[in-house]
Amino acid sequence: MLAEDLLQTLFLQVHRARETYRPSAAFSTWIYTIARHLVRDTLDKERTRIGRKEPPHGSWREAYEEPVPVEERIADVYIPAETLLQRKDIAARLQQALLSLSLEQREVILLNKYEELSFPEIAAILGCSVTAAKVRAFRALRALRVALGDMKDLC
């Protein structure tokens, strides 16, 4: 599976680059930066392969996005079936809206909202200023609200 291969490659790269880590910086920022470069390199290779019209290995989403089972997203198993279906629909629409964003927009939203990183940490990972990271997040949230339409209150 691609995710497992990328994770193994990430650990290898972290090991090889261990001397570049500076304790004055957050470890998470350092490892996110390595992971970000690894994913971008992988996506670039995939785009090159597609540009040469090599046989597809499935869609980009199939290759890079693993669906999260509803059971893992919704921990309470005693939820009424109607509520469970509503939550499943919301989760699917949110995932679809996130996937409609550009990689840069999705990246900043996930780092801030899902990973709960601060803007200085995000800026270090993205290699930009804190202000630029905040602007990217603002624009990404605006695009996400547009993509969600009537469900924009989720943002």
Side-chain angles (χ1 to χ4, degrees):
M1 179 178 282
L2 181 61
E4 291 169 352
D5 291 343
L6 285 174
L7 182 62
Q8 186 173 20
T9 303
L10 174 63
F11 283 124
L12 247 158
Q13 287 183 359
V14 165
H15 178 71
R16 288 181 184 149
R18 67 187 177 277
E19 278 111 29
T20 66
Y21 173 67
R22 301 289 170 245
S24 60
F27 179 75
S28 60
T29 302
W30 180 71
I31 200 165
Y32 274 121
T33 303
I34 295 171
R36 180 176 186 257
H37 290 296
L38 175 62
V39 169
R40 287 192 175 265
D41 289 347
T42 303
L43 291 174
D44 287 344
K45 287 176 186 171
E46 182 67 10
R47 286 186 195 113
T48 302
R49 184 193 61 75
I50 290 170
R52 289 190 304 228
K53 303 209 186 293
E54 292 178 16
H57 303 296
S59 74
W60 184 89
R61 287 184 182 154
E62 289 171 348
Y64 297 100
E65 300 289 333
E66 292 183 30
V68 178
V70 176
E71 297 81 16
E72 289 179 27
R73 288 181 283 173
I74 304 169
D76 188 357
V77 293
Y78 300 106
I79 296 173
E82 183 177 313
T83 304
L84 188 63
L85 286 173
Q86 288 172 341
R87 288 186 182 183
K88 186 177 179 181
D89 180 55
I90 290 169
R93 288 183 63 188
L94 183 57
Q95 183 175 16
Q96 183 179 16
L98 280 168
L99 289 172
S100 74
L101 301 178
S102 70
L103 179 61
E104 289 79 16
Q105 290 176 329
R106 188 169 52 244
E107 183 175 56
V108 75
I109 286 178
L110 293 176
L111 288 172
N112 183 248
K113 300 297 182 188
Y114 180 73
E115 296 295 331
E116 298 179 352
L117 296 179
S118 68
F119 282 106
E121 291 172 315
I122 294 169
I125 291 167
L126 300 179
C128 65
S129 69
V130 174
T131 303
K134 288 180 179 180
V135 168
R136 288 183 192 182
F138 173 79
R139 290 178 180 161
L141 284 170
R142 186 175 56 195
L144 186 60
R145 285 185 187 106
V146 169
L148 286 171
D150 62 329
M151 293 176 42
K152 63 184 172 191
D153 58 325
L154 291 174
C155 303

